[in-house]
Amino acid sequence: MKRALGILAGIVFATLVVAAPAHGEEPTRESYVAQLEPMCEANAAANKRIMAGAKERLSNGKMVLAGKQFIRVSQSFGSLVKKIAAVSPPAADAKPVQTWIKFLRLLKQRLRTVGKYFKEEERIKANHESIQAERSGNSANNTVYEFGFHHCRIKRFR
């Protein structure tokens, strides 16, 4: 497992080095997308593993366990948002990227709140908050639609 993570880290690093603009050049939208896609792909795979079985747990009344899964996925997603925020966008796209990151941070917080409510076995509040999280994800996707992201698009977490 460690070897696979090391190989993945090497691939991500190599992609970032190749996609990074030369010193002094302005990054392009394509290079920005190329930098983010591998990070998003790795995080999507991790989130899928974290959320495995959450739907079944919720339907079987095991809300506390599902709540813990939502909190873990929130932490994982939060680390991705920090990595995304660290990559400088093209100057022409700075404003939509800032708005996108704002929605991603909001989504991270709402996922954590969903987990908190499930842990407290407050199903109605958790469902309401999950609807809000889905709306935040849709808003994030709409903000950077023209970038053509594939793995950085927000999909349902449960």
Side-chain angles (χ1 to χ4, degrees):
M1 183 69 175
K2 287 184 181 179
R3 180 181 168 106
L5 290 176
I7 292 170
L8 178 64
I11 292 170
V12 169
F13 179 73
T15 304
L16 292 177
V17 170
V18 170
H23 184 67
E25 286 184 28
E26 179 66 32
T28 64
R29 182 179 286 179
E30 292 77 23
S31 67
Y32 182 71
V33 170
Q35 281 183 291
L36 296 185
E37 282 292 323
M39 290 187 284
C40 293
E41 183 177 12
N43 187 262
N47 290 346
K48 189 173 183 178
R49 274 193 323 275
I50 291 169
M51 292 304 291
K55 191 172 188 177
E56 292 80 25
R57 285 187 176 107
L58 288 172
S59 63
N60 292 334
K62 298 179 181 176
M63 288 189 276
V64 175
L65 293 173
K68 290 178 182 179
Q69 285 178 284
F70 274 96
I71 290 172
R72 283 184 54 217
V73 84
S74 169
Q75 292 167 344
S76 172
F77 187 70
S79 68
L80 173 67
V81 174
K82 286 179 187 174
K83 291 175 188 174
I84 289 173
V87 177
S88 60
D93 294 324
K95 185 155 176 68
V97 168
Q98 288 174 349
T99 305
W100 180 51
I101 292 171
K102 179 186 77 165
F103 282 124
L104 294 178
R105 287 182 176 140
L106 182 61
L107 175 60
K108 179 231 177 253
Q109 183 57 44
R110 288 190 165 153
L111 288 171
R112 183 169 194 75
T113 306
V114 168
K116 180 186 123 197
Y117 285 142
F118 276 134
K119 278 181 71 174
E120 295 170 357
E121 298 188 2
E122 295 280 349
R123 184 180 291 273
I124 294 173
K125 288 182 180 179
N127 285 336
H128 174 74
E129 194 65 31
S130 86
I131 292 168
Q132 295 297 321
E134 189 174 348
R135 287 181 181 168
S136 297
N138 289 342
S139 296
N141 288 341
N142 291 340
T143 304
V144 290
Y145 176 79
E146 64 272 358
F147 283 58
F149 284 122
H150 178 68
H151 296 290
C152 290
R153 285 185 50 239
I154 306 300
K155 298 168 183 85
R156 292 191 67 150
F157 281 94
R158 69 172 174 149

